[in-house]
């Protein structure tokens, strides 16, 4: 049954994307037990891409990239200095103001982005393996969601290059006319988190480049490998020098980007706490900001929900990327009448999930991304138990063969109340806090009583109820009878502490362009 659960999730992606035989691709990957080694990350590991050249960091190597499944060191990364950040920003500015990028026709830019997508697919096996090694994702997830998803973002936005139209507003005068155009914001600083490094880099790069911007990209220090490899592929297919610059480093480098006067816009995906500090850092320099921050998605299980359909979908969502997903369901409101049956069925499925290294083909759920994060999740669950919650499944760290990695078991907690941090704060782990409710108004008010407003799912066989709840729940995305929600064409982003603005879809074009008005005198 648990295998079935994972299949449902992956089917969403298989149906959406032109999948090559991922089975075949996964089969050709190397022995998961083999030492990973520096070469897995390619020759670019540890360098920065600045103005088309791969530069050795002046700081030497300061961050270790480790495989979260066994703690093995995969390589080292540098922390960009002020001079290196300045060089990246200068290169991006030069590429914006002169050279082939500025003069490239929209259809040429589209073809180039399409070639990036082709290069990702051609190198899909290598990228999936790298993502699995560095981030911990099961290979099939790395292949179908991260790698093929990344290619789809480039294809989708390649299509927009030739459709960035302006308007001719009806101004009330005879002596002049007006037209508007969408122009690039300028040099964009892109800062990404560690949970879906390749996919999130793609969902920022594709619209930023499609609309004619140039970029300085900084991946998370924990998971930079696929971003560096993507940069190499983009460089090889002909993205002009200076258009894409990649530096590595941790918080200080990200902060320096947000304070840098030469960067016009920051697109950030990460925690709400860092989002707040970015708002402060950019206050004096008028940068435009897109902030995709944390979430605390509710799963609302209505009295008429069909448990046969919904239990596997809920469990698939909980274990997807070990719960390290901003839109992960992480507070469950089960109608009192379904509570016992839902808990019994969900617990049975959750206990049969196969946990293991991402490179092990039988694993349905991989490790958490780091020991630090493992400790955080463990601490939150322990605190909930100390406050009175009961672990029905899981509830403590895995040991034995799992001890060398950062594995946490799928966990279900019953008897959770809203004052517990496990019900209010983002967990980012495979944990199901279960609560009950009695009527619709009550559940709407409890769901909306949250700092976060990123997404939610509602489960009902009653269409009117589904629409009603979708309309009253305050979140950037509400899903009725599904956990799907990510698609290059679908706007994604949150309300309140979940962030500012929308990525993906047509809305991303607004995030990466300014509207410029041109007046033409007619007399
Ligand atoms: P994080 O905020 O710790 O780090 C994200 C990135 O910001 C990293 O590259 C990091 O080096 C950088 N950074 C750290 N301090 C900085 C500073 N002061 N200024 C600028 N940059 C700084 O987040 P994380 O732990 O890597 O990622 C997990 C978080 O990301 C979760 O909260 C999750 O919900 C969120 N997330 C949100 C979405 C979404 O679409 N809303 C998607 C994925 C992840």
């Amino acid at each position: 049954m648990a295998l079935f659960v994972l299949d449902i999730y992956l089917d969403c992606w298989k149906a959406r994307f032109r999948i090559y035989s991922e089975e075949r691709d996964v089969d050709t990957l190397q022995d998961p037990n083999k030492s990973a080694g520096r070469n897995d990350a390619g020759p670019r590991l540890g360098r920065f891409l600045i103005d088309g050249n791969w530069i050795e960091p002046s700081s030497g190597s300061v961050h270790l990239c480790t495989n979260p499944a066994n703690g093995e060191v995969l390589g080292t990364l540098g922390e960009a200095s002020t001079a290196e950040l300045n060089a990246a920003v200068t290169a991006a500015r030069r590429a914006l103001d002169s050279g082939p990028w500025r003069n490239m026709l929209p259809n040429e830019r589209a073809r180039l982005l399409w070639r990036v997508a082709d290069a990702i697919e051609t190198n899909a096996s290598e990228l999936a393996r790298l993502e699995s090694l560095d981030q911990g994702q099961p290979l099939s997830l790395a292949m179908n969601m991260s790698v093929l998803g990344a290619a789809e973002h480039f294809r989708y936005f390649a299509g927009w290059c030739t459709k960035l139209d302006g308007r001719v507003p009806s101004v009330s005068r005879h002596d002049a006319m007006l037209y508007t155009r969408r122009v690039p914001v300028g040099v964009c600083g892109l800062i990404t988190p560690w949970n879906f490094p390749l996919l999130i880099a793609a969902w920022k790069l594709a619209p930023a480049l499609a609309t004619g911007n140039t970029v300085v990209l900084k991946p998370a220090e924990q998971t930079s490998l696929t971003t560096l490899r993507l940069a190499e592929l983009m460089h090889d297919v002909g993205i002009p020098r200076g258009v894409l610059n990649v530096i590595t480093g941790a918080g200080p480098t990200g902060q320096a980007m947000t304070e840098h006067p030469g960067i016009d816009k920051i697109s950030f995906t990460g925690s709400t706490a860092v989002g707040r500090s970015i708002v402060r850092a950019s206050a004096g320099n008028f940068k435009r900001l897109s902030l995709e921050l944390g979430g605390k998605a509710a799963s609302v299980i209505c009295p008429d929900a069909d448990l046969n359909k919904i239990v596997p979908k809920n469990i698939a969502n909980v274990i997807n990327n070990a719960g390290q997903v901003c839109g992960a369901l992480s507070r469950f409101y089960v109608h009192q009448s379904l509570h016992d049956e839902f808990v019994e069925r969900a617990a049975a499925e959750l206990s049969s999930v196969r946990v293991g290294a991402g490179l092990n083909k039988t694993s349905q759920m991989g490790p958490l991304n780091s020991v630090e994060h493992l400790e955080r999740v463990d601490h939150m669950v322990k605190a909930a138990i100390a406050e009175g919650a009961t672990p029905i499944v899981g509830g403590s760290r895995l040991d034995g063969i799992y001890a060398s990695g950062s594995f946490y078991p799928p966990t279900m907690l019953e008897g959770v109340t809203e004052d517990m941090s496990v019900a209010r704060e983002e967990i980012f782990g495979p944990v199901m806090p279960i609560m009950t409710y009695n009527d619709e108004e009550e559940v709407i008010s409890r769901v909306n009583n949250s700092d976060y407003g990123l997404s939610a799912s509602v489960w009902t066989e009653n269409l009117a109820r589904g629409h009603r709840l979708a309309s009253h729940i305050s979140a950037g995305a509400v899903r009725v009878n599904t956990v799907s929600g990510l698609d290059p064409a679908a706007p994604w982003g949150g309300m309140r502490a979940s962030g500012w603005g929308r990525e993906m879809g047509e809305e991303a074009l607004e995030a990466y362009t300014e509207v410029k008005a041109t007046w033409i005198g007619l007399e």
Side-chain angles (χ1 to χ4, degrees):
M1 189 58 157
L3 192 58
F4 169 65
V5 164
L6 189 71
D7 285 346
I8 288 182
Y9 197 84
L10 293 175
D11 278 349
C12 301
W13 294 93
K14 288 179 192 169
R16 203 165 248 98
F17 301 139
R18 181 169 66 80
I19 296 288
Y20 351 34
S21 166
E22 69 283 352
E23 290 304 326
R24 184 207 63 208
D25 286 334
V26 168
D27 278 346
T28 58
L29 297 169
Q30 291 178 23
D31 177 356
N33 295 318
K34 198 175 158 231
S35 175
R38 187 182 169 93
N39 287 339
D40 281 293
R44 304 305 176 225
L45 176 60
R47 300 192 190 172
F48 306 138
L49 177 62
I50 298 177
D51 205 16
N53 300 310
W54 288 96
I55 313 282
E56 286 288 347
S58 58
S59 64
S61 296
V62 290
H63 297 286
L64 291 182
C65 317
T66 51
N67 178 348
N70 56 18
E72 183 181 22
V73 175
L74 301 169
T76 50
L77 297 169
E79 178 91 35
S81 65
T82 305
E84 286 152 346
L85 172 59
N86 286 343
V89 174
T90 303
R93 179 67 57 192
R94 198 183 310 120
L96 184 78
D97 292 344
S98 59
W101 192 241
R102 183 189 170 95
N103 298 322
M104 195 176 280
L105 294 171
N107 63 348
E108 292 169 341
R109 212 158 57 215
R111 275 196 287 272
L112 201 45
L113 292 186
W114 198 272
R115 283 212 291 277
V116 174
D118 288 345
I120 292 172
E121 285 194 347
T122 304
N123 294 278
S125 293
E126 179 203 348
L127 285 165
R129 180 166 194 277
L130 206 50
E131 197 74 312
S132 182
L133 272 172
D134 196 22
Q135 203 283 331
Q137 295 175 9
L139 265 177
S140 48
L141 178 68
M143 174 65 87
N144 290 308
M145 189 160 167
S146 293
V147 177
L148 299 179
E152 269 329 283
H153 281 273
F154 281 100
R155 291 223 170 83
Y156 174 81
F157 283 102
W160 274 113
C161 294
T162 51
K163 296 161 196 75
L164 292 173
D165 301 333
R167 295 192 303 126
V168 184
S170 308
V171 292
S172 296
R173 38 198 308 175
H174 295 297
D175 62 337
M177 67 163 286
L178 167 69
Y179 64 87
T180 67
R181 298 171 60 211
R182 289 209 161 270
V183 297
V185 174
V187 174
C188 297
L190 313 181
I191 304 176
T192 57
W194 50 256
N195 62 332
F196 282 102
L198 182 66
L199 184 64
I200 295 177
W203 90 35
K204 293 186 186 303
L205 282 170
L209 299 183
T211 46
N213 298 281
T214 58
V215 306
V216 177
L217 166 62
K218 189 201 83 63
E221 60 277 23
Q222 299 90 342
T223 54
S224 297
L225 303 190
T226 47
T227 303
L228 290 167
R229 181 68 181 117
L230 173 66
E232 187 175 32
L233 294 173
M234 291 176 71
H235 180 248
D236 291 350
V237 301
I239 296 288
R241 56 187 289 182
V243 171
L244 165 65
N245 303 277
V246 181
I247 55 175
T248 59
T253 297
Q255 186 175 341
M257 287 171 70
T258 63
E259 291 168 352
H260 200 291
I263 293 183
D264 301 300
K265 175 196 169 81
I266 291 286
S267 173
F268 170 79
T269 300
S271 61
T272 294
V274 172
R276 278 201 183 92
S277 74
I278 290 177
V279 171
R280 282 193 294 271
S282 60
N285 53 36
F286 298 107
K287 273 186 185 41
R288 288 186 60 187
L289 296 181
S290 297
L291 302 173
E292 300 291 338
L293 310 177
K296 187 68 185 168
S299 179
V300 178
I301 293 149
C302 299
D304 57 7
D306 179 345
L307 292 185
N308 288 329
K309 288 189 207 159
I310 75 153
V311 169
K313 289 182 182 176
N314 274 269
I315 300 300
N317 181 277
V318 169
I319 66 167
N320 180 38
N321 203 20
Q324 301 164 119
V325 181
C326 51
L329 299 175
S330 69
R331 47 187 177 132
F332 292 76
Y333 294 89
V334 187
H335 191 266
Q336 187 66 53
S337 62
L338 287 184
H339 170 266
D340 292 355
E341 198 180 347
F342 178 81
V343 166
E344 189 184 337
R345 289 195 194 196
E349 292 210 9
L350 212 52
S351 350
S352 63
V353 169
R354 285 193 303 274
V355 179
L359 287 184
N360 182 338
K361 282 200 292 182
T362 62
S363 300
Q364 294 173 298
M365 194 183 89
L368 296 175
N369 181 251
S370 65
V371 174
E372 296 73 37
H373 187 52
L374 170 69
E375 278 162 5
R376 188 181 161 273
V377 171
D378 190 41
H379 176 76
M380 280 186 87
V381 172
K382 279 200 180 112
I385 294 170
E387 285 164 336
T390 308
I392 304 294
V393 181
S396 57
R397 290 165 69 151
L398 292 168
D399 49 19
I401 56 166
Y402 295 106
S404 58
S406 40
F407 292 96
Y408 197 81
T411 291
M412 179 190 282
L413 296 174
E414 226 196 340
V416 171
T417 51
E418 259 134 0
D419 52 343
M420 297 180 185
S421 61
V422 81
R424 303 199 67 78
E425 291 170 22
E426 193 171 38
I427 307 173
F428 236 49
V431 180
M432 291 181 82
I434 308 277
M435 294 173 279
T436 55
Y437 73 95
N438 286 307
D439 71 65
E440 204 173 294
E441 246 178 71
E442 171 206 343
V443 79
I444 291 169
S445 128
R446 287 170 64 189
V447 166
N448 288 344
N449 182 19
S450 169
D451 291 343
Y452 296 107
L454 186 59
S455 62
S457 280
V458 169
W459 309 93
T460 175
E461 291 295 292
N462 178 331
L463 198 57
R465 175 178 276 146
H467 282 294
R468 205 164 53 234
L469 282 163
S471 131
H472 288 132
I473 289 176
S474 166
V478 182
R479 309 164 290 204
V480 180
N481 292 330
T482 181
V483 282
S484 301
L486 277 186
D487 186 285
W492 179 254
M495 301 178 178
R496 303 187 294 284
S498 290
W500 288 351
R502 295 292 177 271
E503 293 198 292
M504 295 180 250
E506 199 172 338
E507 287 74 5
L509 305 174
E510 283 164 29
Y512 287 100
T513 53
E514 298 278 13
V515 175
K516 183 171 176 181
T518 304
W519 287 90
I520 305 292
L522 298 176
E523 290 175 345

